[in-house]
Coordinates of all heavy atoms in Angstrom, one line a residue:
A3 N 13.6 167.7 -105.2 CA 13.8 166.4 -105.6 C 15.2 165.9 -105.3 O 15.3 164.7 -104.9 CB 13.5 166.3 -107.1
A4 N 16.1 166.7 -105.5 CA 17.5 166.3 -105.2 C 17.7 166.0 -103.8 O 18.4 165.1 -103.4 CB 18.5 167.4 -105.7
E5 N 17.1 166.9 -102.9 CA 17.1 166.6 -101.5 C 16.5 165.3 -101.1 O 17.0 164.5 -100.3 CB 16.4 167.8 -100.7 CG 16.3 167.6 -99.2 CD 15.5 168.8 -98.6 OE1 15.3 169.8 -99.2 OE2 15.0 168.5 -97.5
L6 N 15.3 165.0 -101.6 CA 14.6 163.8 -101.3 C 15.3 162.6 -101.8 O 15.4 161.5 -101.1 CB 13.2 163.8 -101.9 CG 12.2 164.8 -101.3 CD1 10.9 164.8 -102.2 CD2 12.0 164.5 -99.9
A7 N 16.0 162.7 -102.9 CA 16.7 161.5 -103.5 C 17.8 161.1 -102.5 O 18.2 159.9 -102.4 CB 17.3 161.9 -104.8
S8 N 18.5 162.1 -101.8 CA 19.6 161.8 -101.0 C 19.1 161.3 -99.6 O 19.8 160.5 -98.9 CB 20.5 163.0 -100.8 OG 19.8 164.1 -100.3
I9 N 18.0 161.8 -99.2 CA 17.5 161.5 -97.8 C 16.6 160.3 -97.8 O 16.7 159.4 -97.0 CB 16.8 162.7 -97.2 CG1 17.7 163.9 -97.1 CG2 16.1 162.4 -95.9 CD1 17.1 165.2 -96.6
D10 N 15.6 160.3 -98.6 CA 14.5 159.3 -98.6 C 14.7 158.2 -99.7 O 13.9 157.2 -99.7 CB 13.1 160.0 -98.9 CG 12.7 160.8 -97.7 OD1 13.2 160.6 -96.6 OD2 11.9 161.7 -97.9
Q11 N 15.7 158.4 -100.6 CA 15.9 157.4 -101.6 C 14.7 157.1 -102.4 O 14.3 155.9 -102.6 CB 16.5 156.1 -101.0 CG 17.8 156.3 -100.3 CD 18.4 155.0 -99.8 OE1 17.6 154.1 -99.4 NE2 19.7 154.8 -99.8
V12 N 14.0 158.2 -102.8 CA 12.8 158.0 -103.6 C 13.1 158.4 -105.1 O 13.9 159.3 -105.3 CB 11.7 158.9 -103.1 CG1 12.1 160.4 -103.2 CG2 10.4 158.7 -103.8
V13 N 12.6 157.7 -106.0 CA 12.7 157.9 -107.4 C 11.4 158.6 -107.9 O 10.4 158.1 -107.7 CB 13.0 156.7 -108.2 CG1 13.1 157.0 -109.7 CG2 14.3 156.1 -107.8
I14 N 11.6 159.7 -108.7 CA 10.4 160.4 -109.2 C 10.4 160.3 -110.7 O 11.4 160.8 -111.4 CB 10.4 161.8 -108.7 CG1 10.5 162.0 -107.2 CG2 9.1 162.6 -109.3 CD1 10.7 163.4 -106.7
H15 N 9.3 159.8 -111.3 CA 9.1 159.8 -112.7 C 8.1 160.9 -113.0 O 7.1 161.0 -112.3 CB 8.5 158.4 -113.1 CG 9.4 157.3 -112.9 ND1 10.7 157.1 -113.5 CD2 9.3 156.2 -112.0 CE1 11.2 156.0 -113.0 NE2 10.4 155.5 -112.1
T16 N 8.3 161.7 -114.0 CA 7.4 162.8 -114.3 C 6.9 162.7 -115.7 O 7.5 162.1 -116.6 CB 8.2 164.1 -114.2 OG1 9.3 164.2 -115.0 CG2 8.6 164.4 -112.7
I17 N 5.7 163.2 -115.9 CA 5.0 163.1 -117.2 C 4.4 164.5 -117.5 O 3.7 165.0 -116.7 CB 3.8 162.0 -117.2 CG1 4.4 160.7 -116.9 CG2 3.1 162.0 -118.5 CD1 3.4 159.6 -116.6
G18 N 4.8 165.0 -118.6 CA 4.3 166.3 -119.0 C 3.2 166.2 -119.9 O 3.3 165.7 -121.1
L19 N 2.0 166.7 -119.5 CA 0.8 166.5 -120.3 C 0.6 167.8 -121.2 O 0.2 168.8 -120.7 CB -0.4 166.3 -119.4 CG -1.8 166.1 -120.1 CD1 -1.7 164.9 -121.1 CD2 -2.9 165.9 -119.1
D20 N 1.0 167.7 -122.4 CA 0.8 168.8 -123.4 C 1.5 170.1 -122.8 O 0.9 171.2 -122.8 CB -0.7 169.0 -123.6 CG -0.9 169.9 -124.9 OD1 -0.1 169.9 -125.8 OD2 -2.0 170.6 -125.0
V21 N 2.7 170.0 -122.4 CA 3.5 171.1 -121.8 C 4.3 171.9 -122.7 O 4.6 171.5 -123.9 CB 4.4 170.5 -120.7 CG1 3.6 169.8 -119.6 CG2 5.4 169.6 -121.3
D22 N 4.6 173.2 -122.3 CA 5.5 174.0 -123.0 C 7.0 173.7 -122.6 O 7.2 172.9 -121.7 CB 5.2 175.5 -122.8 CG 5.2 175.9 -121.4 OD1 6.0 175.3 -120.6 OD2 4.6 176.9 -121.0
D23 N 7.9 174.4 -123.2 CA 9.3 174.2 -123.0 C 9.7 174.4 -121.5 O 10.5 173.6 -121.0 CB 10.2 175.0 -123.9 CG 10.1 174.6 -125.3 OD1 9.6 173.5 -125.6 OD2 10.5 175.4 -126.2
G24 N 9.2 175.4 -120.9 CA 9.5 175.7 -119.5 C 9.1 174.6 -118.6 O 9.9 174.2 -117.7
A25 N 7.8 174.2 -118.7 CA 7.3 173.1 -117.9 C 8.1 171.8 -118.1 O 8.4 171.1 -117.1 CB 5.9 172.9 -118.1
R26 N 8.4 171.5 -119.4 CA 9.1 170.3 -119.7 C 10.5 170.3 -119.0 O 10.9 169.3 -118.5 CB 9.3 170.2 -121.2 CG 10.1 168.9 -121.6 CD 10.2 168.9 -123.2 NE 8.9 168.7 -123.8 CZ 8.3 169.7 -124.5 NH1 8.9 170.9 -124.6 NH2 7.1 169.5 -125.0
A27 N 11.2 171.5 -119.0 CA 12.5 171.5 -118.5 C 12.4 171.3 -116.9 O 13.3 170.6 -116.4 CB 13.2 172.9 -118.7
Q28 N 11.5 171.8 -116.3 CA 11.3 171.7 -114.8 C 11.0 170.2 -114.5 O 11.6 169.6 -113.6 CB 10.2 172.6 -114.3 CG 10.2 172.5 -112.7 CD 9.1 173.5 -112.2 OE1 8.0 173.2 -112.2 NE2 9.6 174.7 -111.8
L29 N 10.1 169.6 -115.2 CA 9.7 168.2 -114.9 C 10.9 167.3 -115.3 O 11.1 166.3 -114.5 CB 8.5 167.8 -115.8 CG 7.2 168.6 -115.4 CD1 6.1 168.3 -116.4 CD2 6.7 168.1 -114.0
Q30 N 11.6 167.6 -116.3 CA 12.8 166.8 -116.6 C 13.8 166.9 -115.5 O 14.5 165.9 -115.1 CB 13.4 167.3 -117.9 CG 14.7 166.6 -118.4 CD 14.4 165.2 -119.0 OE1 13.8 165.1 -120.1 NE2 14.8 164.1 -118.3
C31 N 14.0 168.1 -114.9 CA 15.0 168.3 -113.9 C 14.6 167.5 -112.6 O 15.4 166.9 -112.0 CB 15.1 169.8 -113.5 SG 16.2 170.1 -112.2
I32 N 13.3 167.4 -112.3 CA 12.8 166.7 -111.1 C 13.2 165.2 -111.3 O 13.7 164.5 -110.4 CB 11.3 166.9 -111.0 CG1 11.0 168.3 -110.6 CG2 10.8 165.9 -109.9 CD1 9.5 168.6 -110.7

């Protein structure tokens, strides 16, 4: 995601569907 943001100028919105803490942290990071 960090690479794409600098190269392609794309914004990523993420939605966690009934996720645990690990998945939430990864989706938040993206």
